[in-house]
Amino acid sequence: MAGEALMLAAVPLVAGAVLTYLLYQVLKMVLKKAEVMNKAVQEELATIEDERRKFFMEREQRGDDEFFFEKHGYSYDWVFVFRIHDEPVEIEEAFQAIDETSMKKKKEEWKKHLHRQVDFKKYFSMKTVIEHLHAAGMETKLFYSTQRDECFCKIRGPPEVLYKTADMLEFKVELDPDRAGQRMRKGRPPLWAGRDIRDLKNQSTYGVYDHIFGRFETSDEQLVLFKQHRLANSIESPFRSVDRIKLMYELFKKPASGPVPGCSLELSRLVESGCLIGFFPLHDIGTRVQLEKKWLQLHRMPNKQPITSIRNYYGEKIAMYFAWLSVYTTYLLYASVPGLITYCVAFGEQRTDSSLTPGFAAFMAVWATVFLEQWKRSEITYVMEWGMKGFEQKETNRVQFWGLQRTPEGAQVTSLIDGEPSMFFPPAEATRRKLISNVVTIFFIAFVLFVVFYTFALKAVMSQEPYKEQLTFFRIIELGTIIPSIANAVSITIFSILWKKVSLLLTIHENHRTDTAFEDSLIGKTFSFEFVNKYAACFFAGFAKKYLVTNDQCDPSCFDELSTTLGTLFIVELAVGNAAEVLTSIIAVKKKQAEESAGVSPDRVISQVEKQYSMEPFDKLLGTFRQYQEMAFQFGYATLFSVAFPLAPLLAFISNFVEIRVDGWKLLQCTQRPEPEGVEDIGTWYSILDLISTLAVVTNGLLLFFVAEGFVEYTWTTRFVFFIIFEHILLLAKFAAGVLIPDVPLSTEIQLQRQEFVASKLIDNVADDTADLGGEENADVSFDIKDSDEDPVF
């Protein structure tokens, strides 16, 4: 028994060492790939600089006075991609495909839909789209792809257009601390008096005018207040490249009417209808190289990631994910130390649960709460520093949303809120579709449970003679135990891949009106299925196997088997996940590059725009969704069953150390530049993490008192009493930690109040509450005070 326990305890350690080696190889491959590509980019940058210098010299010789880049410090920020095709032939082929379909009843309906698509496509031809861009003040440049089957349209917004757009949108920009302080001290009599705000007691770590944001205004008086960012050629501008991209995207969507005309282009619908085959912001090659040097360093710890630089290049939504990942990975390091100690003590005692296991369970319960509370503090601090407090993104209908636009009588359907033209989707149909999704989800969950039960039944058979002897090597390696665990881990991975596609199709079929409703529904399906898929084997091994599998009894408990199952699942998922991320990205980019360069003359130089078009498009909705999903369930592995596998925090830390660099490498070198988005928090994922941390108290308590060997000699009643006391103490400790740790750091709270006050004076010019009314006394006002109230009582 002691030898078997020692062998079982050694398996996770050996597997962990193997995982660490594999992740190291993945990291080395990523960094080597990044170094090679970086060198190529550096050479290309030198070539671009030589060509630019040559162009400047030719321009001076010609006597040209106008050159956009030299004058403004930036150039093209967006690209639209058009397909070069024979439109009438394409339309005829589409109608022919409809005629050949067997769906006779819906043939006419499909034809009408296709007619609408064709009409839309005819109207928004390449010529029309470019005319819309120029009507809004944009500047464009067109060129053919190397295969001459696509046309690329580079787009830029002149400063005057961006200024007007930002003013119209009340776009928030940061104020210059020195100029803001000078204006505040000067005041604006008689509206508000000047004041000198000082922190004499050093209560805040921020300067008085640090991270002050206000809506953009084009007046000369207000323009001087805004912080200037250095662009190329030492040109200064209140807008970073990420700001220009945001403003241009808003202008693409804005209607052509109004004081600031927009482009009236629904880009997602243009892609869906085939008017465009792609659109994306352009990478700034120089800035990207500098970010890569900071980000992908091997020695940089998780809490030292360049979050501000990531935000300045990719926007707040992506930066918030990496900020969360940095805090989470740092806290995993804190949990790794007691976890490793607990494991070593158990190894020395030749058992999977040691005398330190109860203390480690209590530590992990409090650790999860402290981590979540610390994240709330970090989150609100980032929100303050990025000017995202109170950020609300106006929700519009999804392009994929469809409904009735007219009543049977022909009247236009209007919104019940503002009376604007709208679409109506029958509630009964919406309920029916959600019911279908629920039935499919339940079916998949039931199938997963069947596979888990079958895997354990297979393990029970393989652990009996004659299979046990045939599958045992060197007297300690029992393949009859290892093979079913690996098969279970592989089935979990396959089910996860399959469910990603199925859940997405189900959510699309539900026809949600907004992206928020779509994402919430997708999160619900993902969490409910994946919780069962990823954790069912652990719950079965820990709590059910002893009572359902009679010919493979755990003696004296199933704790050892739970530890082996959990370790196998966790390690396989970490190894496969990181390796798959790297390989799929490399394969996808290579495949797209091969398609785009097929048949091209070797002498033809592929432009930077075409190279970026060959990168993977970043999914606006699912990009960070999948990353949060992966980390949330990893958090579950590390907390729900921590007493059974104390090495989980350490292995998760090693995995995330690599994950940060893999995700960064993918964004920098394998992905088109994402459309930057603002965000105020991590959304529903925080609630899911909080739920998992609370469930972890219950699961670890049950494992400790009803599954582990330490309490098997006690009666069920005694163990239940111990469990209730343990669970209540930990829940009380979690509650106390949540109360004692303020959600908002004092410095952040002070700065948020400063933001509101300073912006109200410098931008909104709100008058002081104590402003002198002035003027002459009003003779009609009586100040005569009577001795008593002489009015009768009514």
Side-chain angles (χ1 to χ4, degrees), residues 446-462:
F447 188 69
V448 166
L449 292 175
F450 168 76
V451 171
V452 170
F453 181 81
Y454 178 81
T455 302
F456 276 89
L458 177 65
K459 180 178 177 295
V461 172
M462 297 177 71

Side-chain angles (χ1 to χ4, degrees), residues 436-449:
I436 292 174
S437 296
N438 292 336
V439 170
V440 174
T441 303
I442 293 172
F443 171 78
F444 267 80
I445 289 175
F447 188 69
V448 166
L449 292 175

Side-chain angles (χ1 to χ4, degrees), residues 144-185:
Y144 283 111
S145 66
T146 51
Q147 295 174 315
R148 301 189 70 82
D149 60 340
E150 293 143 351
C151 179
F152 293 93
C153 175
K154 298 195 296 184
I155 310 164
R156 65 188 178 199
E160 58 273 15
V161 174
L162 299 179
Y163 278 32
K164 291 178 182 178
T165 304
D167 196 338
M168 179 267 298
L169 295 173
E170 298 186 349
F171 190 76
K172 288 177 71 174
V173 292
E174 190 172 359
L175 273 59
D176 181 88
D178 295 332
R179 294 174 182 174
Q182 293 172 6
R183 178 70 62 85
M184 183 60 76
R185 287 187 288 272

Side-chain angles (χ1 to χ4, degrees), residues 68 74 116 243 250 274 362 393 418 421 423 445 486 519 569 593 600 644 730 765:
F68 191 98
Y74 70 93
R116 288 193 297 269
D243 297 322
E250 292 299 323
Q393 192 162 6
D418 55 17
M423 287 188 288
I445 289 175
I486 294 177
E519 185 173 357
L569 293 177
Q593 288 177 344
V600 177
L730 290 189
N765 284 308

Side-chain angles (χ1 to χ4, degrees), residues 394-429:
K394 185 179 179 182
E395 291 258 67
T396 57
N397 287 349
R398 300 179 69 244
V399 175
Q400 295 82 0
F401 174 75
W402 66 271
L404 301 174
Q405 294 182 324
R406 295 190 177 275
T407 65
E409 293 77 20
Q412 171 68 53
V413 176
T414 58
S415 170
L416 298 176
I417 308 302
D418 55 17
E420 292 293 323
S422 182
M423 287 188 288
F424 174 75
F425 188 62
E429 177 64 14

Side-chain angles (χ1 to χ4, degrees), residues 458-473:
L458 177 65
K459 180 178 177 295
V461 172
M462 297 177 71
S463 63
Q464 303 297 316
E465 298 297 347
Y467 304 107
K468 182 177 181 179
E469 183 178 353
Q470 295 172 357
L471 295 173
T472 301
F473 296 90

